[in-house]
């Protein structure tokens, strides 16, 4: 499969998917008015990837901000990962948050409690 | 502008006003306002996590406004134009105030009121659970976040949502939401 590379904007994150290594990276801000439109290509892509996933898929999420409209789309991304794991492959989510950003840590923990995929909370210290 | 609407807007100006807007609410406008406020916040001594919280709540409140504007009827449209909304961002003692206002069809008032009252009845832990429940179970519409915006604001600010409705004419009410974010 072709790798994905979407550049970030002030309202949308950068998305990089190295399918040959099984690494997905979502970085930056996710605050678009219409998140469904923005995330649809990634969700579609993950669905294809789930058919032939890498033995281990690593997802690095490093968001500075995300709005509630994105929160549902991010959950949809995680639900695709759950399927990959249910198919017998390893999945690991690394949830990055900046030092003292309790709200972002809590958001990661909220997802961790909903999704049956291992999460690692990683604090970024300046 | 009709007397009562003018009065509503005047009442929203509290404390030290950083930005006050009245007019059409577009995605471009929200982008500019967010950029401007981020710059302003960078020049304050607030802690990084507080700046983030203010920014996050501002995103939710402005996008909530954007998604839920009811178009005015003819009599009000001549006066207010399309996609009319107002917001005021101000510094008050111990924190910041974001006050938003928009027209709402009076027939939808009770539904919104009961949604907010339901959120206001919940404890901090219950709000967290409610947020997760809506996130995981509710279908989102193309435009909005399935009502998650107000819950998110209550969750981040750890406060009751302060709101009011003012009757404008036979069809419309003015809905004002006042959000306080503590800087402690």
């Amino acid at each position: 499969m072709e790798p994905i590379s979407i550049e970030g904007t002030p309202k949308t994150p950068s998305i990089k998917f190295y399918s040959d290594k099984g690494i997905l990276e979502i970085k930056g801000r996710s605050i678009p008015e219409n998140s469904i439109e923005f995330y649809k290509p990634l969700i579609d892509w993950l669905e294809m990837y789930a058919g032939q996933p890498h033995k281990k898929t690593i997802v690095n999420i490093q968001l500075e901000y995300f709005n509630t409209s994105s929160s549902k789309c991010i959950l949809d991304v995680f639900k695709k990962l759950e399927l990959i794991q249910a198919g017998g492959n390893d999945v690991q989510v690394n949830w990055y948050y900046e030092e003292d950003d309790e709200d972002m840590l809590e958001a990661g923990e909220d997802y961790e409690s909903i999704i049956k995929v291992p999460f690692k909370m990683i604090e970024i210290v300046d | 502008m009709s007397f009562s609407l003018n009065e509503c807007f005047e009442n929203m100006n509290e404390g030290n006003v950083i930005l006050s807007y009245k007019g059409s609410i577009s995605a471009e406008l929200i982008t500019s306002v967010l950029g401007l406020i981020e710059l302003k916040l960078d020049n304050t001594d607030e802690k990084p996590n507080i700046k983030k919280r203010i920014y996050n709540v501002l995103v939710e409140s402005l996008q909530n406004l954007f998604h839920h504007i009811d178009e005015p009827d003819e009599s009000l449209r001549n006066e207010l134009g399309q996609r009319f909304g107002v917001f005021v961002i101000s510094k008050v003692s111990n924190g910041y105030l974001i006050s938003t206002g928009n027209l709402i069809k009076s027939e939808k008032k009770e539904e919104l009121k009961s949604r907010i009252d339901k959120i206001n009845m919940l404890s901090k832990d219950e709000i967290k659970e409610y947020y997760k429940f809506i996130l995981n179970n509710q279908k989102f519409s193309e435009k909005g976040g399935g009502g998650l915006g107000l819950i998110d604001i209550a969750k981040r600010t750890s406060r009751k949502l302060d709101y009011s409705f003012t009757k404008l004419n036979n069809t419309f009410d003015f809905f004002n939401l006042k959000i306080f974010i503590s800087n402690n």
Side-chain angles (χ1 to χ4, degrees), chain A residues 11-71:
Chain A
K11 278 188 169 173
T12 55
S14 70
I15 296 186
K16 298 209 162 57
F17 200 154
Y18 310 97
S19 51
D20 53 333
K21 296 182 198 137
I23 296 176
L24 168 65
E25 277 178 3
I26 303 178
K27 239 176 161 173
R29 300 177 171 199
S30 186
I31 52 169
E33 274 77 21
N34 189 340
S35 304
I36 295 177
E37 191 181 280
F38 175 76
Y39 279 95
K40 193 175 183 306
L42 175 64
I43 304 277
D44 290 349
W45 205 94
L46 271 170
E47 198 158 312
M48 286 205 309
Y49 173 79
Q52 288 176 297
H54 208 257
K55 276 199 293 294
K56 178 157 185 154
T57 304
I58 295 176
V59 182
N60 296 314
I61 304 210
Q62 189 175 336
L63 290 171
E64 196 184 351
Y65 298 110
F66 67 92
N67 60 1
T68 51
S69 147
S70 299
S71 66

Side-chain angles (χ1 to χ4, degrees), chain A residues 59-90:
Chain A
V59 182
N60 296 314
I61 304 210
Q62 189 175 336
L63 290 171
E64 196 184 351
Y65 298 110
F66 67 92
N67 60 1
T68 51
S69 147
S70 299
S71 66
K72 180 74 177 173
C73 297
I74 295 168
L75 183 71
D76 287 342
V77 167
F78 289 147
K79 290 205 161 157
K80 295 283 173 228
L81 300 177
E82 236 176 4
L83 289 178
I84 293 171
Q85 183 173 263
N89 296 282
D90 282 346

Side-chain angles (χ1 to χ4, degrees), chain A residues 10-11 29-37 63-73 75 79 97-104 106-107 109-111 113-115, chain B residues 26-28 30-31 34 38 48-49 51-53 55-56 59-60 63 66-67 124 128 131-132 134-145 148-149 152 155-156:
Chain A
K11 278 188 169 173
R29 300 177 171 199
S30 186
I31 52 169
E33 274 77 21
N34 189 340
S35 304
I36 295 177
E37 191 181 280
L63 290 171
E64 196 184 351
Y65 298 110
F66 67 92
N67 60 1
T68 51
S69 147
S70 299
S71 66
K72 180 74 177 173
C73 297
L75 183 71
K79 290 205 161 157
Y97 63 98
E98 280 175 45
E99 200 178 358
D100 296 331
D101 191 353
E102 288 156 35
D103 291 3
M104 193 54 83
E106 199 182 306
E109 288 169 348
D110 284 350
Y111 283 121
S113 72
I114 297 174
I115 297 293
Chain B
S26 67
E28 294 72 29
I30 293 176
T31 310
L34 290 175
E38 187 170 27
N49 58 337
K51 286 182 192 174
K52 278 196 174 167
R53 186 170 290 160
Y55 188 84
N56 257 311
V59 170
E60 284 311 321
Q63 291 187 340
F66 174 82
H67 289 305
K124 200 172 156 54
K128 195 175 156 69
Y131 179 92
K132 283 201 281 187
I134 300 287
L135 174 65
N136 200 19
N137 293 288
Q138 194 140 308
K139 269 249 170 255
F140 281 28
S141 63
E142 280 293 327
K143 53 174 200 173
L148 214 46
D152 186 72
K155 184 168 167 259
R156 287 186 195 274

